[in-house]
Amino acid sequence: MSTGLLAGVALLGALAGLAAPRVARHFTAPPAPHVAGATPNAARDTRSTPRVVGAAPGAVRLAGAAPGAGWGAAAGAVVFAGLAAALGADPVLPVLLVLAAVGLVLALVDLSCLRLPDPLVGAAALVAAVGLTGAAAASGSPGRLLGAVAGAALCFVCHVVLAVLPGSRLGFGDVKLAAVLGLPLGWLGGSSLALGLLLPHLLHGVLVLVLLVAGRVRRDTPLPLGPALLTGAWLAALTA
């Protein structure tokens, strides 16, 4: 890919990163009371509020500390440029760029309130399914769709097993996101899929260890896994 096109893709990523916090606010802020005669607590949708059961008193957690617009723009530019540099003119590139834009919003929401909203995860699934079908038609390789479906199934099963283990803090929002990310990873091939399964938990484990050593969290402090799932999938896609 030429330098000019790469710069253009990076600019698109920066714009997506700037827009991501605004979109994320719709999924993190509790709705204002609007029911006539209802008390604020009665009208409030508690499903939209941050859930931090078990957080250490006084501990600094990642949730609620989402990066600002400047960091979002920088992250978007790096993510988009990395994908463009790795995949070039591959027909799957536009699909992964749209998924990356949705992923930026998902990461911000998870960092803010430990949630991966079903509408966003569903949108990512729809983009992946429709986009990969189009990419298969454009590239004349419909067989790769089987790899995508197999990747999604493997990611789903592996994360369901992790979620039901005793003492697991893995939520089913993470399971659903992992299954969606398995679609493009399976499309990209076995090595990308294997890395996409391993890297998120390695990155998350290292981060938790660093925070524990620094005294920023306790063993029972809930931390978001979504950003690690997305980062690991992105790094795996760069190896395709």
Side-chain angles (χ1 to χ4, degrees):
M1 180 173 287
S2 69
T3 303
L5 285 176
L6 192 61
V9 172
L11 178 58
L12 284 176
L15 294 174
L18 284 172
R22 185 169 300 178
V23 178
R25 287 192 204 104
H26 292 287
F27 297 93
T28 56
H34 61 277
V35 179
T39 63
N41 287 336
R44 193 175 177 187
D45 183 357
T46 56
R47 292 171 300 174
S48 300
T49 59
R51 290 174 292 177
V52 261
V53 178
V60 178
R61 45 184 184 81
L62 295 185
W71 283 103
V78 169
V79 169
F80 274 48
L83 290 172
L87 297 172
D90 193 307
V92 82
L93 176 61
V95 182
L96 296 190
L97 293 181
V98 177
L99 282 175
V102 178
L104 289 170
V105 180
L106 278 166
L108 288 174
V109 173
D110 206 14
L111 284 168
S112 296
C113 60
L114 301 175
R115 292 177 65 239
L116 291 168
D118 284 343
L120 285 175
V121 177
L126 181 62
V127 167
V130 174
L132 292 177
T133 301
S139 61
S141 52
R144 297 185 75 173
L145 288 175
L146 293 177
V149 173
L154 180 61
C155 287
F156 178 76
V157 171
C158 288
H159 285 82
V160 164
V161 171
L162 291 175
V164 300
L165 288 175
S168 173
R169 300 189 69 86
L170 190 71
F172 274 85
D174 301 313
V175 173
K176 288 179 279 190
L177 177 60
V180 172
L181 294 175
L183 287 167
L185 291 173
W187 168 282
L188 293 172
S191 60
S192 295
L193 179 60
L195 282 174
L197 281 168
L198 175 64
L199 283 177
H201 301 284
L202 180 61
L203 292 170
H204 187 71
V206 170
L207 176 61
V208 170
L209 181 60
V210 170
L211 291 173
L212 283 170
V213 171
R216 302 291 297 277
V217 298
R218 294 192 327 195
R219 291 177 62 88
D220 60 352
T221 303
L223 296 172
L225 181 62
L229 289 171
L230 292 159
T231 302
W234 174 69
L235 290 173
L238 299 187
T239 68

